[in-house]
Amino acid sequence: MPSAEHHIGAPRSRIDGPAKVTGAARYAAEHTAPDLAYGIVVSGAIARGRIRSVYAAAALAVPGVIQVFTHENRRRTAWLDYSYKDDVAPPGAPFRPLYDAEIHYSGQPVALVVAEDYETAAYAASLLAIDYEVAEHETDLEAQRAYAYVPSKKRSGIPPPPSPRGDAEKAFGEAPLHVEGDYSHAIEHHNPMEPHASTVIWEGDGKLTVHDKIQGSQNSQRYITSVFGLKADDVRVMNAYVGGAFGSGLRPHYQLFLAVMAALELERSIKVVLTRDQMFTFSYRPHTLQTVRLAADRSGALRSIRHDAVAGTSRYEDYQENVVNWSGMMYHCDNVALTYTLAQIDTATPADMRAPGATTGVFALEIAMDELAERAAMDPIALRLRNYSDEDENQGKAYTSKELRECYRVGAERIGWSRRSSVPRSTREGRELVGFGMATGCWEAYLQKTAARATLTPDGKLEVATASSDIGTGTYTILAQIGADGFGLDLADVSVRIADSTLPTAPVQGGSWTAASSGSAVQAACQAVRETLLGHARGLHRSPLANAGIEQVEFRDGRITFASDPARFVTFADAMRAGGVDKVEAEATAAPSVVTALRYVSYTHAAVFAEVRVDEELGIVRAVRIVSAVAAGRILNPKTARSQILGGGVMGLGMALHEETMMDHNLGRFMNHNLGEYHVPANADVHDIDVVFVEEHDDKVSPIGVKGLGEIGIVGTAAAIANAVYNATGKRIRDLPITLDKLL
Ligand code: MOS
């Protein structure tokens, strides 16, 4: 049913919601095929060394076992490192599963056992005996920091620290107020509900259809064709539904390689699903050791900022993040010195995890700012306003928009900031100490080159298509909203085709760029369809719209109507008939504006506030209230947008209080590789989270005025909670998570 309703900006429920709650939505591991075989990955037991021999006879003797793949009998794959680099690979030599006898990290896949059913494969895998030659390993970043280095090759999209400005050391010495501290956070794993999985369907003739758990189907598709030397047309990758990823699915992982290899070798469909503990063998937020030194004059004006970070990476890739640049950008200061170095440890390469780098660097800066506020006897918000900057201080460029002041104001009001005592450890309720804290959050607003197609049929149905993913963010829904408003349709009249490598080119879903990028592309494709359709309508014999310009007409109720005279209209169907077509289709590409980039930078901002209660005797912290006030440009759908910030808030809460992947440095292995011992916030840990979007008009950031959301919800949250814990207890914890042992 056509309608004039406007969907953009309205709180719409997810159009994929019913499929998800009824189980109709199929995730990568839920697809099947006739004659499907099952592969179980065998994980290596040592952190570094070589495989001396694999004893597979017992496994192969189990009835139902089809094959045991190891480095000794693997299929030939590409030779050059380059061929293994996926779209978002950092500099280095990507890990090659089953390539040779070399062991690079604990849990590295050393074999794939394939059987007729899952249970047989799992049992046979347990019979595999592997003899190793053990080498020395080092998994402790503290021990390796002495060998830290500036990466020689920069990771694409990650700006290195800016050159120093002024003289930070001298200014530090001269200023009357100082703070200086070491900050660190634990290694964290993404822990999406859906484990990594690949179902590879053998279509015959060397053709594959792959259902992969990935944040970009085309990334997996290109990886497979390049590694296995296959033709693009022979490999189709789909990721219709993704059960969370948070960055863990940006790069293809070893289960994809192994499943494809086995399918090609056996000429048979195969499924490989990782276990929860195997999810801890790759992709994590790297351990980062930071030092922040701030100095200010007596009015609180920053005189010196120094921020140094050493981050862990693997031995084979220089994984990089933007950790310290935020400290030179967010506040006005004339004397700034920032450094970022890497140190290698014997683990798999770290990976982007929700707001990579910002989450890490801003948490340290924003705790330091809280310390400085106390030193200056200023309210923490007042200190930030004192140093507020309307330009990116690193580049001297203006923001396309920055409504952060309003975030501070609204956030403070919502949390009841006036109830905060500036004296730590001075507020009690029952047996609990009460504290309030706040922090600033910041994340880049990206527009990435993305193509989309729109197809309108005479019955007033629209299809929009792009290879973009929906990793749980609401992409299906916002693209339907944009398409529907383009033609005055109901959401139900729009079908959204995404998550398929055969669709118009789109990057991985990451960096919170999808809404701005694929949204702008869909809107541009719809605009092209409108123009073509109007052309057909004008060509109608004695057309009521003969001289109408595109800005003079409206598309709704299945008609193109002259806006100032509704009696003059042509129906979509008549227009197509006049044009002799049975549909109108157009493809368009959205891309960043070079002209805008010369003068402006674009960021989302947030002010995060937290109220905590701390049980002094037990050391238990409850974050009873979190307020996240966000400025992110135009909000396409307040319901899915809020959901993104809630998720980010929960993840920030996890970083502040719970999440910690612990390493046994003797074994070089993550110890708590399960959801029982790696604590992701549960319902009982999550209390009231209040999300508010402040008005922010931005006509430069993207064609649709959208900045993007998801990552901004985590940046700032951990610092706000840590600052609240200080306000409650008088204990300054600079090492996350704030577990009870640190408070007692
Ligand atoms: Mo995000 S860490 O770019 O999925």
Side-chain angles (χ1 to χ4, degrees):
M1 289 292 283
S3 87
E5 198 168 15
H6 288 278
H7 298 286
I8 295 175
R12 296 285 177 256
S13 294
R14 286 161 199 269
I15 61 171
D16 49 329
K20 283 183 169 173
V21 298
T22 57
R26 292 216 179 164
Y27 293 80
E30 295 177 316
H31 292 269
T32 191
D35 207 26
L36 183 74
Y38 293 78
I40 293 282
V41 179
V42 178
S43 305
I46 64 167
R48 199 174 179 189
R50 289 179 67 79
I51 299 170
R52 218 180 264 135
S53 29
V54 181
Y55 301 97
L60 285 165
V62 175
V65 169
I66 301 164
Q67 182 57 292
V68 176
F69 291 100
T70 68
H71 65 284
E72 289 167 345
N73 64 349
R74 68 164 172 86
R75 187 183 183 86
R76 271 183 79 107
T77 53
W79 189 60
L80 295 170
D81 284 333
Y82 179 80
S83 306
Y84 294 80
K85 280 189 185 288
D86 67 274
D87 291 352
V88 292
F95 172 68
R96 305 177 182 194
L98 306 192
Y99 195 75
D100 54 25
E102 211 65 41
I103 298 288
H104 304 273
Y105 59 89
S106 181
Q108 170 181 325
V110 292
L112 182 76
V113 178
V114 182
E116 298 293 341
D117 57 74
Y118 177 87
E119 290 76 10
T120 303
Y123 170 64
S126 75
L127 301 178
L128 216 65
I130 298 166
D131 190 16
Y132 299 98
E133 188 181 303
V134 180
E136 292 278 307
H137 68 262
E138 184 56 80
T139 47
D140 189 353
L141 181 63
E142 298 272 5
Q144 288 296 90
R145 80 181 298 174
Y147 310 105
Y149 57 96
V150 175
S152 59
K153 287 205 177 110
K154 301 297 171 210
R155 180 179 173 204
S156 162
I158 304 296
S163 314
R165 58 178 184 264
D167 187 336
E169 200 174 328
K170 182 157 166 276
F172 188 85
E174 289 170 359
L177 305 175
H178 308 100
V179 296
E180 175 167 0
D182 293 331
Y183 301 82
S184 73
H185 67 81
I187 284 178
E188 294 180 281
H189 277 81
H190 306 71
N191 279 302
M193 279 170 74
E194 181 201 15
H196 279 256
S198 304
T199 303
V200 178
I201 296 169
W202 173 258
E203 307 278 12
D205 263 357
K207 286 189 192 298
L208 304 177
T209 301
V210 181
H211 299 280
D212 191 28
K213 194 261 166 65
I214 191 77
Q215 289 173 243
S217 56
Q218 291 173 334
N219 194 17
S220 290
Q221 195 261 0
R222 279 189 287 267
Y223 176 82
I224 294 167
T225 54
S226 147
V227 166
F228 293 97
L230 303 176
K231 285 193 294 232
D233 286 349
D234 287 347
V235 181
R236 178 183 188 186
V237 178
M238 287 182 279
N239 60 337
Y241 299 99
V242 180
F246 317 112
S248 68
L250 289 168
R251 302 183 69 184
H253 290 297
Y254 58 74
Q255 94 287 341
L256 175 67
F257 175 101
L258 295 171
V260 169
M261 179 203 64
L264 292 172
E265 216 40 50
L266 302 172
E267 303 199 343
R268 199 174 157 170
S269 301
I270 178 158
K271 177 185 294 189
V272 178
V273 183
L274 298 187
T275 59
R276 183 56 60 179
D277 62 322
Q278 286 172 333
M279 295 286 291
F280 283 81
T281 58
F282 56 89
S283 279
Y284 62 86
R285 192 194 296 285
H287 191 192
T288 306
L289 306 170
Q290 306 181 63
T291 303
V292 179
R293 299 180 185 88
L294 304 178
D297 67 19
R298 298 216 177 272
S299 75
L302 282 162
R303 295 296 302 134
S304 173
I305 299 174
R306 281 181 287 170
H307 190 165
D308 304 296
V310 185
T313 189
S314 66
R315 298 265 186 199
Y316 50 91
E317 286 176 313
D318 277 350
Y319 171 76
Q320 294 158 59
E321 298 176 340
N322 169 8
V323 173
V324 296
N325 299 16
W326 312 97
S327 292
M329 183 189 100
M330 284 168 52
Y331 301 108
H332 176 71
C333 184
D334 294 328
N335 304 292
V336 177
L338 312 170
T339 69
Y340 175 70
T341 53
L342 299 178
Q344 297 181 337
I345 53 172
D346 293 299
T347 63
T349 305
D352 293 314
M353 179 169 166
R354 209 169 197 157
T359 301
T360 300
V362 172
F363 118 74
L365 174 69
E366 287 298 297
I367 294 178
M369 286 293 280
D370 199 64
E371 299 181 49
L372 185 64
E374 189 181 33
R375 206 62 46 86
M378 287 175 83
D379 182 277
I381 302 173
L383 178 71
R384 286 162 175 88
L385 291 173
R386 177 76 182 81
N387 294 288
Y388 197 88
S389 178
D390 283 308
E391 63 171 31
D392 168 359
E393 299 265 324
N394 289 336
Q395 302 186 61
K397 291 180 183 175
Y399 292 100
T400 51
S401 59
K402 179 178 175 178
E403 296 296 342
L404 177 57
R405 274 197 189 87
E406 184 64 3
C407 295
Y408 290 138
R409 192 189 68 73
V410 173
E413 190 182 291
R414 292 262 186 133
I415 195 85
W417 190 247
S418 56
R419 291 183 292 145
R420 173 183 182 268
S421 162
S422 59
V423 181
R425 206 185 173 75
S426 62
T427 311
R428 231 171 242 285
E429 238 181 78
R431 54 184 287 159
E432 289 178 310
L433 292 162
V434 181
F436 292 85
M438 59 82 57
T440 309
C442 191
W443 182 248
E444 193 161 354
Y446 301 90
L447 179 66
Q448 297 279 5
K449 190 176 176 190
T450 301
R453 186 174 63 222
T455 310
L456 185 72
T457 42
D459 56 359
K461 304 278 185 198
L462 178 74
E463 180 190 272
V464 296
T466 165
S468 296
S469 310
D470 186 338
I471 60 174
T473 44
T475 310
Y476 279 106
T477 311
I478 57 152
L479 296 186
Q481 290 175 270
I482 293 167
D485 277 1
F487 298 94
L489 304 173
D490 270 350
L491 286 187
D493 293 325
V494 184
S495 56
V496 178
R497 285 188 64 202
I498 56 172
D500 179 338
S501 63
T502 62
L503 297 173
T505 307
V508 292
Q509 178 162 60
S512 300
W513 58 56
T514 303
S517 308
S518 58
S520 293
V522 163
Q523 193 181 59
C526 289
Q527 178 64 11
V529 168
R530 281 197 297 263
E531 283 168 10
T532 304
L533 193 64
L534 176 61
H536 293 321
R538 277 198 296 248
L540 193 71
H541 180 60
R542 301 176 71 169
S543 174
L545 300 177
N547 301 309
I550 191 79
E551 66 292 335
Q552 292 173 297
V553 297
E554 286 171 357
F555 293 74
R556 65 173 133 101
D557 299 331
R559 301 165 166 184
I560 312 174
T561 307
F562 205 80
S564 58
D565 180 4
R568 290 169 59 190
F569 67 85
V570 175
T571 66
F572 295 170
D574 284 344
M576 288 189 211
R577 216 169 291 129
V581 296
D582 58 1
K583 65 180 177 188
V584 178
E585 185 167 277
E587 195 168 315
T589 300
S593 151
V594 182
V595 179
T596 304
L598 285 175
R599 291 181 52 201
Y600 297 98
V601 293
S602 294
Y603 287 84
T604 47
H605 291 92
V608 188
F609 292 79
E611 176 183 350
V612 303
R613 307 280 163 118
V614 182
D615 184 315
E616 267 213 289
E617 282 152 48
L618 299 176
I620 291 170
V621 181
R622 297 189 300 136
V624 295
R625 197 157 151 72
I626 294 170
V627 176
S628 203
V630 177
R634 187 181 195 188
I635 303 302
L636 291 168
N637 182 336
K639 193 169 183 177
T640 50
R642 173 175 177 273
S643 182
Q644 281 301 296
I645 302 302
L646 289 179
V650 170
M651 237 167 172
L653 171 71
M655 180 186 184
L657 302 178
H658 307 293
E659 295 188 48
E660 177 173 21
T661 314
M662 287 179 275
M663 176 68 85
D664 178 332
H665 294 303
N666 282 321
L667 293 170
R669 184 187 304 168
F670 293 126
M671 294 187 278
N672 53 337
H673 45 74
N674 56 68
L675 291 175
E677 292 165 289
Y678 180 101
H679 188 73
V680 173
N683 283 342
D685 302 306
V686 181
H687 301 272
D688 183 18
I689 303 180
D690 186 8
V691 178
V692 48
F693 296 107
V694 309
E695 280 278 328
E696 189 175 65
H697 181 73
D698 193 324
D699 57 9
K700 298 183 191 74
V701 63
S702 64
I704 50 172
V706 166
K707 282 188 172 174
L709 279 169
E711 294 177 294
I712 189 60
I714 184 171
V715 188
T717 303
I721 292 170
N723 293 340
V725 168
Y726 175 75
N727 183 245
T729 65
K731 288 189 179 155
R732 182 64 74 182
I733 313 295
R734 301 182 183 88
D735 178 23
L736 303 182
I738 305 172
T739 43
L740 48 87
D741 51 299
K742 294 173 187 168
L743 287 175
L744 290 174

